[in-house]
């Protein structure tokens, strides 16, 4: 129950358009996708893969957000305006991460190994950004909208328009 409250508090903190926890609870597809993923991920870990995939497909149908049940997601993860978000099977997402609509955390190779990004803590990924491959996005990183990232991004950085800046 604590994680649910944390999720609602994180959503309220990161989305100024939402006025209450009740509103967020009933109207946030990002929140619903995260909660659905938590259940699907547990099923995945219990080797109930078909059931996990069925649940994740249903959540995708309802929310427009696709999170593979094998992906590992930290605490207080917020998806704002989530339509079109895709998170691959071997993606790892840290705590206090905020992503916007159209973000893809995808793979570049067709192999059975770690092939999706690892995203650190306290990261913001702007709308329509694409992060591909087994790369690492460090802690405290901000990625501007429309970025395409195929190489590691160091901690405490801002990436805008293809240019990397240290904070």
């Amino acid at each position: 129950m604590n994680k649910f409250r944390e999720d609602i508090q994180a959503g309220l903190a990161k989305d100024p358009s939402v006025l209450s926890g009740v509103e967020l609870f009933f109207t946030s597809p990002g929140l619903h996708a995260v909660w659905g993923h938590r259940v699907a991920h547990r099923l995945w870990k219990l080797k109930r893969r078909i059931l996990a995939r069925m649940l994740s497909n249903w959540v995708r149908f309802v929310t427009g957000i696709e999170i593979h049940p094998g992906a590992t997601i930290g605490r207080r993860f917020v998806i704002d305006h989530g339509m079109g978000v895709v998170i691959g099977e071997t993606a790892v997402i840290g705590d206090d991460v905020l992503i916007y609509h159209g973000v893809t955390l995808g793979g570049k190779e067709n192999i059975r190994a770690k092939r999706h990004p690892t995203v650190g803590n306290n990261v913001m990924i702007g709308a329509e950004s694409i992060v591909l491959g087994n790369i690492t996005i460090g802690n405290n990183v901000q990625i501007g909208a429309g970025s395409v990232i195929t190489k590691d991004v160091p901690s405490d950085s801002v990436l805008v328009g293809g240019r990397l800046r240290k904070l």
Side-chain angles (χ1 to χ4, degrees), residues 40-110:
H41 186 68
R42 279 194 194 120
L43 292 168
W44 187 263
K45 289 174 81 174
L46 292 170
K47 306 290 188 213
R48 304 284 190 252
R49 291 179 176 228
I50 293 173
L51 192 55
R53 295 293 300 269
M54 289 171 61
L55 175 58
S56 70
N57 284 337
W58 181 80
V59 170
R60 179 184 63 186
F61 175 77
V62 170
T63 66
I65 298 167
E66 180 174 349
I67 306 173
H68 191 285
T72 302
I73 294 176
R75 297 171 74 168
R76 298 172 302 276
F77 176 54
V78 175
I79 302 171
D80 193 7
H81 302 289
M83 185 60 78
V85 167
V86 177
I87 299 172
E89 175 186 9
T90 62
V92 177
I93 299 172
D95 296 335
D96 303 302
V97 172
L98 169 64
I99 65 173
Y100 289 93
H101 63 277
V103 168
T104 297
L105 302 179
K108 293 192 311 185
E109 301 176 282
N110 188 15

Side-chain angles (χ1 to χ4, degrees), residues 15-54:
D15 186 353
S17 70
V18 178
L19 302 178
S20 72
V22 172
E23 179 183 354
L24 189 68
F25 179 87
F26 285 111
T27 66
S28 173
L31 185 62
H32 301 149
V34 169
W35 287 349
H37 172 265
R38 287 208 182 122
V39 175
H41 186 68
R42 279 194 194 120
L43 292 168
W44 187 263
K45 289 174 81 174
L46 292 170
K47 306 290 188 213
R48 304 284 190 252
R49 291 179 176 228
I50 293 173
L51 192 55
R53 295 293 300 269
M54 289 171 61

Side-chain angles (χ1 to χ4, degrees), residues 102-124:
V103 168
T104 297
L105 302 179
K108 293 192 311 185
E109 301 176 282
N110 188 15
I111 58 172
R112 288 196 181 273
K114 175 86 168 94
R115 62 190 183 279
H116 298 96
T118 296
V119 177
N121 299 321
N122 195 35
V123 172
M124 187 281 296

